Amino acid sequence: MSAAPRIAPSTLFTPEEWAPFQTRPAWAGPLLVVHCWGVIAFAVVAGVLVPWLIPICVMIVGTRQLGLAILMHEAAHGGLSKTAKWNDFLGHWLCAVPIGADLGAYRPYHLTHHRFAQQPEDPDLMLSAPFPVSPASLRRKMIRDLTGQTFFKQRILLPLAMASDKSRSNSSKGDSAHEYEAVVTGRSILPFLAVNALILAGFVAAGVWWAFFALWLLPMATWFPMVTRLRNIAEHACVEGSSADAFRAARTTRASWWERVFIAPYWVNFHAEHHLFMHVPCWKLPALHRAVHARPQAAVMEVAPGYVSVLKTATRRPR
């Protein structure tokens, strides 16, 4: 097995320059979790009070459900708290379980991705390898996401397929950029159902039972899978030389304000910097981006001006 190429911080920074990226206040990670749930609650209340806002609220809630997945990812790197137990509690019960994930299953899977990024042993290679695809192919995938077909496959078909080795082997042959989610969702069905039953009970107690389906379950079944797909495409698809050069292991996408609201929360768009130095907290990635790009070595890094540009690249067939 050939591990992904790496660089040391000393390649770019003096110890004094690097020191700010190694510190993290104890309140920052928990505050992000509170912020994410606060945005979800605000969008739900807005949709209940002003029903014509529901389509926008669905997109906001779905993006913050992705935000919970991103914060679970932060916890997988130990980034939500300096205390391991508190980090794992926040990352698992407040971020992973409500969206059907499992931090314990995700962490070794994701760290393997970092160790072998874009190598044959990378478990996420299936997400980027098929690209570029035709515009029609991408359109079909996004339609499956937005119509709930991807959600049905993740939450129903794949967990059932994992019940037997034969079914699991057959499911790996399907054409889906989300099949890797079986690793995350397969061990978390009962906790997912239990926590969502509590969330439903809260909606019922508030007298708005219908809002659970319209403003929590519907975003999870539609917008969340779609923006997860966009995130996966933007991070690694169509980055030439990504398996051989640490500076090209991933792509950074310069997200506008509306893309941060509806597609890429919590600085997930700074993925090239995350792969360079994976233990830098997510809220410090913008500063890391500026610091890295002040060095000449950063000239080779893949940086897209926005997600529309990424999709154009991902659907551009080579001549």
Side-chain angles (χ1 to χ4, degrees):
M1 292 187 180
S2 55
R6 301 189 180 281
I7 64 167
S10 58
T11 305
L12 299 177
F13 305 108
T14 66
E16 294 75 18
E17 292 170 332
W18 182 243
F21 298 109
Q22 295 182 294
T23 60
R24 63 182 74 200
W27 49 264
L31 182 61
L32 287 179
V33 176
V34 171
H35 177 272
C36 192
W37 280 106
V39 174
I40 290 172
F42 178 82
V44 169
V45 171
V48 168
L49 296 179
V50 189
W52 63 265
L53 288 177
I54 286 178
I56 296 175
C57 294
V58 165
M59 293 188 287
I60 292 174
V61 172
T63 302
R64 292 299 147 173
Q65 289 168 336
L66 172 60
L68 292 174
I70 293 165
L71 296 179
M72 175 192 69
H73 163 268
E74 191 71 13
H77 289 285
L80 290 185
S81 175
K82 296 178 182 178
T83 304
K85 289 185 177 180
W86 183 232
N87 174 82
D88 288 1
F89 174 82
L90 291 172
H92 182 67
W93 289 106
L94 296 186
C95 297
V97 172
I99 58 172
D102 184 298
L103 178 61
Y106 176 75
R107 177 179 281 132
Y109 174 93
H110 181 66
L111 295 181
T112 300
H113 161 63
H114 272 276
R115 183 181 179 187
F116 300 110
Q118 298 299 289
Q119 308 295 324
E121 297 82 11
D122 181 2
D124 274 357
L125 190 60
M126 68 179 70
L127 301 177
S128 58
F131 292 91
V133 298
S134 68
S137 175
L138 181 60
R139 185 164 54 250
R140 288 193 297 270
K141 296 176 190 298
M142 294 176 69
I143 289 173
R144 289 199 295 269
D145 296 338
L146 292 173
T147 56
Q149 297 176 63
T150 301
F151 176 83
F152 180 76
K153 183 173 184 178
Q154 289 178 5
R155 309 300 177 179
I156 306 297
L157 297 184
L158 288 181
L160 289 176
M162 292 185 71
S164 68
D165 291 340
K166 180 179 180 180
S167 296
R168 187 160 58 246
S169 175
N170 290 339
S171 72
S172 67
K173 299 177 183 179
D175 178 21
S176 172
H178 294 269
E179 289 181 352
Y180 80 107
E181 291 287 350
V183 176
V184 182
T185 61
R187 288 169 46 182
S188 59
I189 297 301
L190 291 180
F192 169 69
L193 293 176
V195 168
N196 275 267
L198 290 175
I199 295 174
L200 173 58
F203 280 96
V204 171
V208 288
W209 63 267
W210 59 268
F212 171 81
F213 300 96
L215 293 166
W216 175 255
L217 196 58
L218 180 62
M220 190 183 298
T222 57
W223 195 257
F224 176 30
M226 198 271 287
V227 292
T228 298
R229 187 182 298 277
L230 294 184
R231 170 198 173 181
N232 292 332
I233 293 171
E235 289 177 349
H236 291 287
C238 303
V239 181
E240 295 181 6
S242 59
S243 63
D245 187 344
F247 286 95
R248 294 190 58 79
R251 173 188 288 106
T252 280
T253 304
R254 291 197 176 103
S256 62
W257 70 266
W258 68 266
E259 289 173 317
R260 294 194 297 272
V261 171
F262 294 110
I263 299 175
Y266 304 120
W267 310 282
V268 70
N269 52 301
F270 293 102
H271 203 61
E273 290 76 15
H274 173 65
H275 266 266
L276 275 179
F277 306 113
M278 66 178 176
H279 294 297
V280 173
C282 62
W283 60 90
K284 293 192 175 185
L285 291 178
L288 180 62
H289 173 79
R290 293 189 294 271
V292 169
H293 282 266
R295 273 67 179 175
Q297 295 94 324
V300 301
M301 294 176 72
E302 185 83 6
V303 179
Y307 283 85
V308 172
S309 172
V310 169
L311 293 182
K312 288 180 179 179
T313 300
T315 56
R316 184 181 299 131
R317 287 290 191 181
R319 292 183 179 179

